[in-house]
């Protein structure tokens, strides 16, 4: 479709977004305001991530989109199609082959490398939002590094549930300075935030971009006597037998049968291709 | 002896209207000062200027900090002032819901200041919260209840606990007993008097209730139209008022 500029956005807009990305990389965890554009999809469907991807993509890139770990859900398919049409880039489902990966709510299981960029879709970039509704006040709290309130939330978790029950969008401190919302990834993924790839976060409706450069220290907040724990369902994957991946629970019938499968579909597929088998692998094939 | 707080010629105007002007006084450690006056006399404006919530248009508010000695809080940087606001200072609002987080449990409310100054041990924070609930006469089993489930008097006591947990040296109180019924007021005053004496707190109490200052305050300042009408020892001012307005104020109290 030659009517579109490469990757849909005009060059001036991409320049503006790249400036925000560079600023975000220079100040890890700091939310950089940017002039978010109207995109041909509704807010909440990844307009922030799409704009960051558009500003990041080059014609030589290989692009992958995942939604909750899966390559084949509506959101992932439509964004992948969008860039196939407007940028003409090669797309893939294989994590290792991709150079730019746009993700919603997961970090891929396969370890990312320095040649890759991970773009997150962020619904609400402000980790303090539900504790302090005033934007003027939260900005001041970030500026003055007043993060006591974040621990109040964790305190409430423990006092009500006996453990830190926040299981996704678990707040982290980046590079010893800014407290950041890692977007709604499960806390299982939090330790992976310290990685070799560049991580960019785009929030379209909230008009914020932030970033974590490679090899940056990312610490999940916790208490001395209630340390951070990366949790997952205590099962192996029923299809590929993996014990180290984050699992989705699928209810099979109304008799209490359920199965656990890797939420990262590419990881599961590649493991099965390599001959690993889980409890229900045979049934699934049939 | 260095005064804990030295207020010098504080002035705050709203356009051409005067909020308060020409206010000066020294407050020494362990001293409680009352500020009385009718509505609109500038007592809340003055208190907010002293506590750093409003920026005064003139004058100095010199606080004797633990580390650097006397420092003008009007010209100090905002991070420093906010740090003071959650360590050495405390502010008790008239309406408890202005000073509490209503969606956070009592324990979380008390723990917030501790966590803000770097406390990261859940067990310790909770123990301190329960200890402070006891000190303000709230049962320990209410620690996980939200302030919305508390009565007005309990909310006010919770607000006091939340403010005093970091062991401040100066407490600002804006009508702490306003809106409470008299028996609850009496209990609260009793509690406040006990805490102030026990912890050796200095306090500045703004009120229009003369009984409150009679009970709590060592010294009294009477304000009228943004100016200080009269000041002196509490008993002296109340028993032998010199200024016409103070005489009116004292004689306006109903004798039951």
């Amino acid at each position: 479709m030659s009517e579109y500029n490469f990757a849909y956005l005009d060059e001036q807009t991409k320049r503006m977004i790249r400036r925000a990305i560079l600023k975000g990389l220079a100040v890890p965890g700091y939310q950089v305001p940017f002039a978010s554009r109207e995109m041909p999809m509704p807010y909440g469907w990844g307009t922030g991530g799409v704009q960051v991807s558009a500003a990041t993509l080059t014609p030589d890139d290989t692009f992958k989109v995942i939604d909750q770990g899966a390559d084949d859900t509506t959101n992932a398919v439509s964004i992948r199609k969008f860039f196939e049409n407007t940028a003409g880039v090669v797309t893939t489902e294989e994590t290792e082959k991709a150079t730019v990966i746009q993700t919603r709510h997961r970090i891929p299981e396969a370890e990312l490398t320095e040649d890759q960029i991970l773009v997150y879709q962020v619904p609400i970039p402000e980790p303090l939002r539900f504790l302090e509704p005033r934007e003027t006040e939260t900005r001041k709290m970030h500026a003055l590094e007043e993060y006591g309130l974040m621990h109040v939330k964790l305190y409430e978790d423990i006092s009500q549930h006996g453990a830190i029950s926040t299981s996704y969008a678990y707040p982290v401190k980046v590079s010893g300075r800014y407290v950041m919302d890692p977007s709604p990834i499960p806390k299982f993924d939090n330790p992976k935030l310290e990685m070799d790839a560049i991580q960019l976060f785009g929030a379209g409706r909230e008009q914020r971009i932030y970033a974590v450069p490679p090899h940056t220290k990312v610490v999940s907040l916790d208490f001395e006597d209630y340390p951070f724990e990366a949790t997952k369902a205590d099962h192996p994957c029923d299809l590929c037998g993996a014990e180290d991946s984050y699992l989705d629970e699928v209810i099979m019938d109304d008799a209490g049968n359920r199965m656990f499968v890797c939420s990262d579909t590419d990881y599961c597929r590649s493991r099965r291709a390599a001959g690993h088998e889980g409890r229900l692998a045979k049934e699934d094939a049939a | 002896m260095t005064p804990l707080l030295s207020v010098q010629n504080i002035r705050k105007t709203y356009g051409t209207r005067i909020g308060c002007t020409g206010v000066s006084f020294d407050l020494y450690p362990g001293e409680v000062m009352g500020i009385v006056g009718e509505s609109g006399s500038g007592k809340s404006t003055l208190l907010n200027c002293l506590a750093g919530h409003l920026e005064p248009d003139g004058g100095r508010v010199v606080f004797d900090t633990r580390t650097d000695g006397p420092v003008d809080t009007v010209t100090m940087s905002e991070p420093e002032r906010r740090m003071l606001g959650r360590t050495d200072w405390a502010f008790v609002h008239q309406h408890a819901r202005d000073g509490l987080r209503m969606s956070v449990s009592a324990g979380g409310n008390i723990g917030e200041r501790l966590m803000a100054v770097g406390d990261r041990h859940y067990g310790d924070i909770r123990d301190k919260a329960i200890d402070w609930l006891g000190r303000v006469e709230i049962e320990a089993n209410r620690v996980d209840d939200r302030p919305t489930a508390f009565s007005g008097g309990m909310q006010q006591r919770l607000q006091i606990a939340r403010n005093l947990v970091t062991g401040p040296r100066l407490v600002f109180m804006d009508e702490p007993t306003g809106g409470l019924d008299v028996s609850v007021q009496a209990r609260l005053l009793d509690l406040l008097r006990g805490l102030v004496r026990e912890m050796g707190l200095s306090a500045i109490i703004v009120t229009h209730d003369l009984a409150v200052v009679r009970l709590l305050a060592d010294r009294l300042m009477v304000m009228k139209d943004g100016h200080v009408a009269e000041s002196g020892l509490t008993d002296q001012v109340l028993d032998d008022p010199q200024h016409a307005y103070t005489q009116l104020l004292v004689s306006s109290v109903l004798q039951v």
Side-chain angles (χ1 to χ4, degrees):
Chain A
M1 283 176 120
S2 55
E3 301 91 330
Y4 287 111
N5 187 36
F6 175 74
Y8 186 76
L9 291 172
D10 61 278
E11 292 304 314
Q12 282 304 314
T13 299
K14 286 197 270 184
R15 228 178 114 175
M16 174 270 294
I17 295 172
R18 284 174 196 146
R19 274 202 297 266
I21 292 173
L22 288 174
K23 186 171 177 181
L25 283 166
V27 193
Y30 172 71
Q31 298 167 44
V32 186
F34 79 110
S36 177
R37 296 290 191 253
E38 197 87 17
M39 296 302 283
M41 61 186 73
Y43 288 129
W45 284 71
T47 54
V50 164
Q51 289 178 77
V52 171
S53 294
T56 310
L57 281 174
T58 66
D60 304 331
D61 272 319
T62 308
F63 190 58
K64 168 182 162 87
V65 189
I66 46 178
D67 172 9
Q68 309 263 15
D71 288 280
D72 49 8
T73 58
T74 318
N75 202 200
V77 171
S78 61
I79 292 175
R80 193 163 59 228
K81 284 256 166 61
F82 177 74
F83 281 112
E84 277 172 7
N85 287 337
T86 59
V89 289
V90 180
T91 57
T92 180
E93 294 195 359
E94 288 173 53
T95 307
E96 287 82 359
K97 286 191 180 155
T99 53
V100 177
I101 304 172
Q102 180 171 336
T103 179
R104 171 173 178 265
H105 301 191
R106 268 318 303 279
I107 296 176
E109 303 292 352
E111 201 164 314
L112 300 184
T113 65
E114 286 178 353
D115 305 326
Q116 293 176 306
I117 298 175
L118 187 58
V119 178
Y120 294 78
Q121 301 170 199
V122 181
I124 293 176
E126 178 53 71
L128 301 160
R129 175 61 65 242
F130 293 108
L131 303 157
E132 174 54 65
R134 288 167 294 180
E135 175 74 16
T136 49
E137 192 63 21
T138 54
R139 278 200 207 187
K140 196 168 273 181
M141 290 159 86
H142 281 295
L144 303 179
E145 228 178 319
E146 288 181 5
Y147 291 131
L149 199 52
M150 208 68 247
H151 273 87
V152 172
K153 180 184 184 315
L154 302 179
Y155 172 95
E156 289 291 284
D157 268 4
I158 301 173
S159 73
Q160 283 169 26
H161 307 288
I164 298 178
S165 60
T166 302
S167 56
Y168 63 94
Y170 193 102
V172 292
K173 194 165 208 175
V174 181
S175 195
R177 177 60 181 84
Y178 283 97
V179 165
M180 184 187 92
D181 182 344
S183 88
I185 57 171
K187 68 177 168 185
F188 174 79
D189 283 344
N190 269 24
K192 291 192 243 165
L193 287 162
E194 282 186 34
M195 63 163 74
D196 296 345
I198 295 176
Q199 298 171 79
L200 305 174
F201 298 77
R205 182 188 52 210
E206 305 288 324
Q207 313 196 322
R208 295 288 185 278
I209 285 173
Y210 50 105
V212 176
H215 313 291
T216 304
K217 194 163 178 54
V218 180
V219 179
S220 303
L221 301 180
D222 60 3
F223 286 102
E224 288 161 14
D225 45 347
Y226 285 85
F228 170 81
E229 262 183 295
T231 52
K232 66 182 274 280
D234 191 16
H235 289 270
C237 171
D238 282 333
L239 294 181
C240 76
E243 301 198 0
D244 57 352
S245 69
Y246 191 74
L247 302 174
D248 285 339
E249 182 179 0
V250 184
I251 293 179
M252 308 290 285
D253 52 29
D254 60 359
N257 284 319
R258 58 194 61 195
M259 71 184 289
F260 290 89
V261 292
C262 292
S263 94
D264 186 336
T265 51
D266 174 58
Y267 182 72
C268 200
R269 185 196 48 73
S270 61
R271 272 181 60 87
R272 274 181 289 160
H276 295 280
E277 276 188 6
R279 185 173 63 94
L280 299 171
K282 291 282 184 297
E283 285 179 46
D284 183 64
Chain B
M1 194 179 189
T2 329
L4 184 67
L5 188 76
S6 175
V7 179
Q8 294 157 18
N9 219 2
I10 279 292
R11 178 170 55 85
K12 173 73 186 172
T13 51
Y14 300 104
T16 54
R17 282 179 297 117
I18 293 171
C20 62
T21 185
V23 181
S24 301
F25 65 87
D26 286 341
L27 185 77
Y28 287 89
E31 198 176 26
V32 178
M33 175 141 124
I35 302 175
V36 295
E38 61 192 6
S39 301
S41 61
K43 40 189 208 305
S44 291
T45 298
L46 174 62
L47 194 73
N48 284 321
C49 285
L50 300 184
H53 297 170
L54 283 176
E55 196 183 338
D57 295 315
R60 283 151 55 85
V61 180
V62 179
F63 180 73
D64 186 16
T65 58
R66 283 184 218 229
T67 46
D68 303 331
V71 180
D72 185 1
T73 61
V74 176
T75 53
M76 80 174 12
S77 71
E78 193 174 10
E80 290 177 298
R81 193 161 51 235
R82 283 171 72 111
M83 191 63 186
L84 267 187
R86 53 178 198 266
T87 53
D88 265 356
W89 288 0
F91 197 101
V92 177
H93 293 265
Q94 173 176 8
H95 300 292
R97 45 184 65 237
D98 294 339
L100 292 174
R101 291 195 187 276
M102 299 307 279
S103 55
V104 167
S105 72
N109 264 295
I110 298 178
E112 182 179 342
R113 276 171 78 113
L114 292 171
M115 293 182 249
V117 295
D119 225 329
R120 291 290 179 267
H121 191 284
Y122 174 81
D124 290 352
I125 294 169
R126 196 170 169 83
D127 289 346
K128 278 188 200 157
I130 290 173
D131 175 47
W132 266 98
L133 281 182
R135 289 210 221 179
V136 296
E137 297 166 17
I138 298 175
E139 285 165 45
N141 61 15
R142 303 298 300 270
V143 67
D144 291 331
D145 290 353
R146 293 187 175 180
T148 40
F150 286 7
S151 69
M154 283 169 78
Q155 286 181 3
Q156 196 59 283
R157 278 179 277 145
L158 179 62
Q159 194 195 177
I160 289 164
R162 165 188 161 92
N163 273 292
L164 297 189
V165 66
T166 47
R169 292 188 296 154
L170 176 59
V171 186
F172 300 99
M173 294 192 221
D174 190 4
E175 310 251 11
T177 59
L180 302 177
D181 65 54
V182 281
S183 59
V184 175
Q185 268 190 33
R187 253 179 93 190
L188 188 73
L189 285 175
D190 217 36
L191 176 81
L192 274 177
R193 191 161 53 166
L195 288 173
V196 164
R197 294 284 175 265
E198 185 189 321
M199 299 176 71
L201 294 174
S202 302
I204 297 177
I205 301 177
V206 161
T207 182
H208 52 237
D209 188 341
L210 293 182
V212 171
V213 288
R214 176 78 91 175
L215 269 171
L216 284 176
D218 304 312
R219 278 199 301 147
L220 187 61
M221 198 160 82
V222 182
M223 292 196 67
K224 169 86 172 124
D225 299 332
H227 298 266
V228 177
E230 188 171 355
S231 65
L233 296 174
T234 305
D235 292 346
Q236 198 180 357
V237 174
L238 292 181
D239 293 341
D240 182 18
Q242 302 292 311
H243 192 275
Y245 173 69
T246 319
Q247 292 169 356
L248 177 73
L249 196 69
V250 171
S251 61
S252 306
V253 177
L254 287 175
Q255 301 298 324
V256 185

